[in-house]
Amino acid sequence: MQATAKARLQIHFCVVLWGFTAILGKLITLPASALVWWRMLLVTVALMMTPRVWRGLKAMPARLRWAYAGIGVLVSLHWLTFYAAIKLSNASVGATCIALGPVFLAFVEPWIARRRFDPRELLLGVAVVPGVAMVVGGVPVAMRLGLVVGTASALLVALFSACNKRLVEHGDPLTVTCLELGTGTLFLGLLAPLLPHAGSAFVLPGLHDAILLVLLAFGCTLLPFALALVALRHLSAFGTQMVTNLEPVYAIVLAAVLLGEQRELAWPFYLGVAVILAAVFVHPWLSRRKEPAQPELLGVTESHNTAD
């Protein structure tokens, strides 16, 4: 299978798994800070038991380790604001705000990843905005703070996606995942006293929350996070994020089935989903014209498929 087509399938699989994160975030009763801290800690501990991760860390230059550590801080802040948005509104609204990521990426990826600005990406990113507006239209006043926090989360996901794109060739995916999430765990531990529910991050969760945290950490975090890093070697961060726009679609459908949130949805929701889907599938069609000219797709080695 062509590397780019395979990478797109990998990203779609990741998005299906990510679609469950909003549902689990709503079902877990812990505050957002505690939820994210435990999520990152569980994944980090699991990866640290892998010899391959230690070999990768030992071989990685110190400057690169610090760079990935900085990205880990962005990842932790993204997840913190994402789950805070869900707690402040609902799973559907929190997940849908992430579809604003391409708008931010259209600006930040050319600057951070050092590639040429493509006006088509900006147009496709802007095309998503009416869809998002229609999906979240009619949100009660009490949930509007969740929209603001969710938009901040979309900006953060754009920043760390572009940074990962710039550095994706320089580290083993599992090693990078461990380093980023481990740094995020330490950062949130230091930040916890300044957040609402200070200290709750260090409280042992109950059995119900513990089971859901394990599902969230390994099924919806470790596997898709590492797999997405591999797929990102063959896709632009913008193209990846456009596919990730399907995450709110999956999350909202799951929320309707599992949480009964369909009572909050009306016809603008379905129209907004159609707009998002159109942007998702138009982007790969347009990208096929320029993919052969991308130097990052040339000279592909076996190391690019380490997580296959």
Side-chain angles (χ1 to χ4, degrees):
M1 184 181 297
Q2 186 182 1
T4 304
K6 183 178 180 180
R8 286 202 181 102
L9 289 177
Q10 290 173 330
I11 288 296
H12 277 284
F13 177 66
C14 291
V15 171
V16 173
L17 296 179
W18 284 328
F20 283 93
T21 61
I23 306 303
L24 292 174
K26 193 68 175 179
L27 293 175
I28 294 172
T29 61
L30 294 174
S33 56
L35 188 160
V36 176
W37 189 81
W38 279 106
R39 177 188 187 183
M40 301 182 89
L41 178 66
L42 288 172
V43 176
T44 302
V45 170
L47 289 174
M48 289 181 68
M49 294 188 291
T50 307
R52 167 179 162 180
V53 168
W54 290 103
R55 290 194 300 268
L57 287 172
K58 185 178 180 180
M60 188 178 293
R63 183 176 180 181
L64 189 58
R65 287 199 296 267
W66 281 109
Y68 282 125
I71 296 175
V73 171
L74 294 176
V75 173
S76 66
L77 290 173
H78 157 63
W79 279 346
L80 180 62
T81 50
F82 173 67
Y83 287 108
I86 291 173
K87 301 292 184 180
L88 291 169
S89 53
N90 59 29
S92 301
V93 172
T96 302
C97 287
I98 301 303
L100 290 170
V103 180
F104 296 118
L105 265 172
F107 290 101
V108 303
E109 187 187 2
W111 170 54
I112 295 177
R114 295 179 179 177
R115 68 170 180 82
R116 183 175 58 83
F117 174 78
D118 189 341
R120 291 177 295 182
E121 293 185 348
L122 177 59
L123 291 175
L124 287 170
V126 171
V128 173
V129 175
V132 174
M134 287 183 283
V135 166
V136 300
V139 170
V141 175
M143 293 186 180
R144 288 179 183 173
L145 180 58
L147 288 174
V148 175
V149 176
T151 301
S153 184
L155 174 59
L156 288 165
V157 79
L159 289 172
F160 88 73
S161 295
C163 290
N164 267 334
K165 175 60 181 178
R166 179 172 176 177
L167 301 176
V168 73
E169 299 287 342
H170 303 293
D172 170 71
L174 292 184
T175 302
V176 172
T177 301
C178 181
L179 182 55
E180 291 185 356
L181 299 192
T183 303
T185 303
L186 293 174
F187 175 75
L188 284 185
L190 295 174
L191 188 64
L194 305 178
L195 298 173
H197 310 284
S200 62
F202 309 105
V203 176
L204 288 175
L207 179 61
H208 171 269
D209 284 343
I211 293 173
L212 296 180
L213 280 169
V214 169
L215 291 174
L216 179 64
F218 299 110
C220 301
T221 305
L222 179 56
L223 175 60
F225 197 95
L227 188 60
L229 283 175
V230 175
L232 193 59
R233 297 177 187 271
H234 308 288
L235 300 171
S236 69
F238 182 87
T240 303
Q241 186 60 43
M242 291 301 291
V243 176
T244 306
N245 278 336
L246 285 170
E247 179 183 345
V249 177
Y250 295 133
I252 292 170
V253 171
L254 291 170
V257 174
L258 301 176
L259 304 178
E261 290 186 2
Q262 72 274 12
R263 292 185 295 271
E264 303 174 21
L265 305 175
W267 68 266
F269 159 75
Y270 299 101
L271 186 57
V273 169
V275 172
I276 293 173
L277 285 173
V280 167
F281 290 105
V282 165
H283 178 261
W285 178 77
L286 292 176
S287 298
R288 276 199 292 266
R289 301 179 180 180
K290 63 178 183 178
E291 280 175 355
Q294 291 182 354
E296 67 194 30
L297 299 184
L298 303 178
V300 176
T301 65
E302 290 181 358
S303 64
H304 291 160
N305 298 312
T306 52
D308 285 1

